[in-house]
Amino acid sequence: MQKTINIIIPDRLIGERVDVAISQMLPDYSRSKICSWIKSKNAFIDNKSFNPKDKIIGGEILTLQIKTNNNNVWKAQNIKLDLVFEDKDIIIINKPAGLVTHPGAGNYDSTLANALLYFDPNLINLDRAGIVHRLDKDTSGLMVVARSELAQKKLIEQLKNHQISRQYSAIVNGYIISGGKIDKPIGRHHANRIKQAVCGNGKRAVTNYRVVERFANYTHLKVMLETGRTHQIRVHMSYIGHSVIADNIYGGRTRFHKKMNIILKDTLSNFSRQALHSEKLSLIHPLSGKKMTWKASLPKDLKDLLQTLRKFDKI
């Protein structure tokens, strides 16, 4: 799909960079998206292409040939969604474990994005079907989806400015005495490109955690993110020696302790995904400006795991 926008650039923007001026005139679109239109030669001033750094003279005619995002390789699929909240601007989803966020290598369909396109076909015009942030395939819980360019832009800005609060429930290996803060940069693993790792040249990553319940060999934590790096909780907990239960990538094989009860051993052996759940999400509504919070209780598999730990891994 394509639409054309023609605007006479006002004198008040004389001397501004072109990309900055366009951002002011079209606040619904992000500056990065505007730059992509300019670089792909879909934007013209007085019928001529230009560079983002060019300066405004005033009175020029700006023509934008906007190609709205068409996820034509992402097909709509009738996959049930657990809707926590929706209005005309945003959707809050409680994602189940096992559902991939959007199509990619090895997962070309049957994802959350495919389900969203079936639920709201208009999302085909938004980048990543309106998805603002992702959860790993085997992490369950709350996610926010935008339903317009403006909502998506503002929510992404909130993420960058740490205005979206995300709280997770994690069950980890080992006995943790007290809560703490992990402030260690995360980047791509030097040897395994599908993994992340704490590394000196990574991006700053900050994770706060507090103890909810202790067992003899495991700990239930509430984890709060200050940043949103890929696999952040899993990487940070592994770094301090308390990997998330059943995290095969960052925790290795499931740990069994001497004299472990057979029922607990079987439960851990058969637990098929990392014990991590996004249980609380707070944000500022992108259009109304209202602070909003949602909660999602622990799914059955995590509740059952905790019950088993209470019975067979007492302190």
Side-chain angles (χ1 to χ4, degrees):
M1 295 174 63
Q2 179 172 301
K3 63 180 179 180
T4 300
I5 297 177
N6 292 298
I7 304 173
I8 298 176
I9 302 177
D11 290 346
R12 63 181 174 82
L13 297 174
I14 290 174
E16 289 278 9
R17 285 175 47 134
V18 174
D19 56 347
V20 173
I22 298 173
S23 295
Q24 292 184 38
M25 292 186 292
L26 300 172
D28 285 9
Y29 301 100
S30 68
R31 188 166 165 185
S32 62
K33 179 165 285 190
I34 288 168
C35 285
S36 72
W37 291 332
I38 296 172
K39 291 175 182 177
S40 61
K41 307 302 181 184
N42 288 310
F44 306 90
I45 289 181
D46 294 336
N47 295 318
K48 296 179 181 178
S49 59
F50 56 91
N51 294 315
K53 294 181 180 180
D54 288 349
K55 302 293 185 180
I56 294 297
I57 298 173
E60 302 100 316
I61 297 177
L62 168 70
T63 301
L64 284 175
Q65 295 176 346
I66 299 176
K67 294 181 179 179
T68 55
N69 190 69
N70 188 348
N71 299 301
N72 52 16
V73 295
W74 294 6
K75 59 185 179 181
Q77 291 177 294
N78 187 5
I79 300 169
K80 184 179 179 181
L81 291 173
D82 184 358
L83 294 175
V84 176
F85 173 85
E86 67 160 315
D87 63 14
K88 63 182 181 63
D89 303 302
I90 61 174
I91 305 169
I92 305 297
I93 302 291
N94 184 13
K95 186 187 84 68
L99 182 65
V100 175
T101 300
H102 53 70
N107 295 284
Y108 299 107
D109 59 12
S110 300
T111 71
L112 175 62
N114 300 112
L116 286 167
L117 290 173
Y118 184 90
F119 174 75
D120 182 356
N122 291 322
L123 293 176
I124 198 169
N125 296 315
L126 298 181
D127 290 338
R128 295 185 301 169
I131 294 170
V132 174
H133 63 105
R134 62 185 291 273
L135 290 178
D136 297 334
K137 174 184 176 182
D138 290 324
T139 297
S140 56
L142 297 170
M143 294 179 62
V144 59
V145 177
R147 300 182 94 163
S148 69
E149 290 270 5
L150 181 58
Q152 191 171 33
K153 175 191 172 185
K154 290 193 172 185
L155 288 170
I156 290 172
E157 288 173 351
Q158 285 186 45
L159 274 176
K160 290 180 178 177
N161 295 328
H162 313 302
Q163 293 174 300
I164 293 181
S165 173
R166 289 166 289 168
Q167 178 178 293
Y168 292 74
S169 191
I171 309 172
V172 302
N173 290 290
Y175 180 92
I176 298 180
I177 297 174
S178 62
K181 180 175 183 176
I182 309 168
D183 188 346
K184 293 291 181 181
I186 291 176
R188 187 78 66 180
H189 192 282
H190 71 282
N192 187 337
R193 305 305 292 173
I194 68 170
K195 291 179 64 174
Q196 303 292 308
V198 169
C199 55
N201 61 352
K203 294 181 179 180
R204 187 175 185 229
V206 181
T207 302
N208 297 284
Y209 62 93
R210 64 179 177 85
V211 174
V212 177
E213 189 173 4
R214 298 180 188 88
F215 308 100
N217 299 289
Y218 304 93
T219 308
H220 181 198
L221 300 175
K222 297 295 184 194
V223 185
M224 290 71 69
L225 295 180
E226 289 188 27
T227 56
R229 308 301 172 208
T230 301
H231 299 172
Q232 179 173 318
I233 294 173
R234 299 164 63 192
V235 172
H236 271 170
M237 296 315 300
S238 177
Y239 177 78
I240 65 171
H242 295 286
S243 59
V244 177
I245 285 178
D247 187 345
N248 295 326
I249 294 178
Y250 296 103
R253 298 179 64 183
T254 302
R255 306 174 192 178
F256 299 120
H257 304 280
K258 293 181 179 179
K259 300 181 181 179
M260 177 178 282
N261 177 277
I262 189 63
I263 295 176
L264 176 56
K265 186 174 182 179
D266 286 346
T267 298
L268 292 171
S269 296
N270 295 316
F271 202 80
S272 59
R273 56 99 166 196
Q274 63 256 13
L276 188 60
H277 175 70
S278 175
E279 66 178 1
K280 185 177 179 181
L281 175 68
S282 298
L283 54 81
I284 301 168
H285 191 281
L287 275 298
S288 73
K290 179 182 178 182
K291 181 72 176 287
M292 304 183 78
T293 298
W294 299 271
K295 295 180 180 180
S297 60
L298 289 177
K300 185 177 185 303
D301 61 346
L302 291 183
K303 287 180 179 178
D304 290 346
L305 176 58
L306 286 172
Q307 284 294 96
T308 303
L309 290 171
R310 290 180 186 121
K311 290 181 180 178
F312 304 111
D313 196 47
K314 296 178 182 179
I315 296 174

